[in-house]
Amino acid sequence: MTSTERHATGRPATLHDVARLAGVSIATASKALNGRKHVSATTRAEVLEAAALLAYSPNTLARGLVAGRTGMVGLLTSDLEGRLSIPILMGAEDAFGADRTSVLLCDARGDAIREGHHLRTLLSRRVDGLIVVGARPDPRPSIGRDLPVPVVYAYAPSADPDDLSLVSDNVTAGRMAIEHLTGLGRRTIAHITGDPTYGAAQDRAKGALAELAARGLPLAGDRVHFGAWTEAWGRSATRTLLAQHVAIDAVFAGSDQIARGVIDALHEEGLEVPRDVAVIGFDNWEIFATSSRPPLSSIDMNLETLGRVAAERLAAAFDGALGSGVEQIPCRLVPRESTVAA
Amino acid sequence: MTSTERHATGRPATLHDVARLAGVSIATASKALNGRKHVSATTRAEVLEAAALLAYSPNTLARGLVAGRTGMVGLLTSDLEGRLSIPILMGAEDAFGADRTSVLLCDARGDAIREGHHLRTLLSRRVDGLIVVGARPDPRPSIGRDLPVPVVYAYAPSADPDDLSLVSDNVTAGRMAIEHLTGLGRRTIAHITGDPTYGAAQDRAKGALAELAARGLPLAGDRVHFGAWTEAWGRSATRTLLAQHVAIDAVFAGSDQIARGVIDALHEEGLEVPRDVAVIGFDNWEIFATSSRPPLSSIDMNLETLGRVAAERLAAAFDGALGSGVEQIPCRLVPRESTVAA
DNA sequence: TTGTATGCGTTATCAC
DNA sequence: GTGATAACGCATACAA
């Protein structure tokens, strides 16, 4: 076998080939293969046999040309690591049914020019819809008002309220964290989180504060400790708190990385987790949460669900109605050892 | 604006519309838009203006139907996190040119059934080629010998030597790590790595041992410490070494996670990195390498390059020739503070 | 029940 | 230089 013969060179069989082999017209062959009425059982069997013999696989492009639908959706992301877009993609695949709809993934790498470029090629490929995934959970510019296809924004909402956006319910997630910690009997809880310019950081803090207030509890350290989404910040903020002799029996961290820094610093000060201080993170980034000592309780943003709902909204839009505004997707708490009862 | 009007309902403009508006035939319009010869400058300008006016965007499907090429490649992955497939995807996008070729990403989630399913839909969409990305760097079953399109395996090679596979050059990478550490003056180097059933683990160890032998140096601890790809293993292996009073001034870790465990254990024993012990990891997983204390030197597998080469091989195959066998892609060493000179 | 003919949007081959 | 016209592969309304 020479290198040129690696893949079969002959064009794939067409409906025409099948029809000819079965001795019928392409119209009949088409009906038979698509399970339409008005075909005798015997001819149907013959057509099916011919198709099997030729390893016939219908050309989805040609089908899309006549149907006016390609069965493809574009996933336009700016998420360099795929940490967001892959779960969202999988959720969307599940909802669509992988055989009916395929996903074209394009990474704009945070570049508006490249995004516009990808948008144009996706539209020229006549995708049936678009899912736009932002890199950070804050409003981003709308990709355009009068696009020929429905668009759903996931994770990062569109700045245009007429667009439909799907975001994580960070406020409720903040409440959940506090609810969980107080359920363990903890009463002096600190909140160490990331960059205050992130709406998500503000929302999580807002939810946490509201839940603390509802329970008549103060926030340990008297204020939310905003900083950066890094282990280093988690460590330094924790050390600051301990140096000030703030009594804490739990920390709600704004991300799993911050949580790891918090745990590190606690250990260095001779405090044990969760016995002395319970710690909960955010994101449920498996690789961090499970390799932490002890394994880290965390809040999962249900990104697969986000992708699934995005797909459902798009599917509904194909039949006419696309909503607008921002839809909140609930998070879920994943308990691990860092917050077991003392 | 009601919800149904969110996206423009009218079908996108066709070549026919442009031709009619410009007052020419569709043949002329086609030539003008595609920059072909035999079109007067004035009519070309008129056509271009009409196209701009109608926001005309050529239907890539129809174009592909006649051209016999879709300009799409399938990326079939089993990599649940996207840590492999996203860099590979980006490399492929770069090599193809994002406007000429789009990538259909399908995640088989390690399920052979689902993989076959995705394969069929990709073929029915008439992708021009296929890139298959495995979850672990060991031979995997070929996806099929007589596919109608060229296939390139990336990261995980195909078990069939007639297929073309692209893998990281782990042997040389192992040599590089030792070369780097000895260049720092380190002479008692241990190798703590992951699951011994991984060919990559064996290859890296092989390279490291060869390089040590070439320099007349022994392996600290007398043997390669195989275990698991986890921080926990990095910690426990390190503790074992220290408990045996093995003198070490450097550790080559088989992954960044293992390296973090190693560093943790060293710190707990009062040893400083890199002053007392230099540590280098593998994978260059940014989030781990940069958040480590100190930042972790590591070996990058150049996954973007792998994707780029995969795209180049596919492109060559479109014009006839696809090679076979396993092609080694070189890794590169990324130095950070964990291995600065003492 | 089956076959004929038309159109989906483009490109390319030819006449003019 | 320009414009009919035939593919490309498929689905379907309509005629037989």
Side-chain angles (χ1 to χ4, degrees), chain A residues 205-267:
Chain A
K206 196 178 303 173
L209 289 172
E211 187 67 22
L212 282 171
R215 293 166 185 272
L217 293 174
L219 180 65
D222 290 331
R223 60 183 185 82
V224 176
H225 291 73
F226 290 103
W229 303 106
T230 62
E231 287 192 46
W233 166 244
R235 282 193 299 265
S236 84
T238 304
R239 273 198 292 260
T240 303
L241 275 174
L242 296 177
Q244 295 169 332
H245 298 91
V246 175
I248 51 175
D249 58 15
V251 175
F252 168 32
S255 79
D256 291 341
Q257 292 176 72
I258 292 174
R260 288 204 58 156
V262 170
I263 291 178
D264 267 7
L266 291 171
H267 284 165

Side-chain angles (χ1 to χ4, degrees), chain A residues 15 36 56 63:
Chain A
L15 187 57
R36 317 302 298 254
Y56 172 71
R63 184 177 286 183

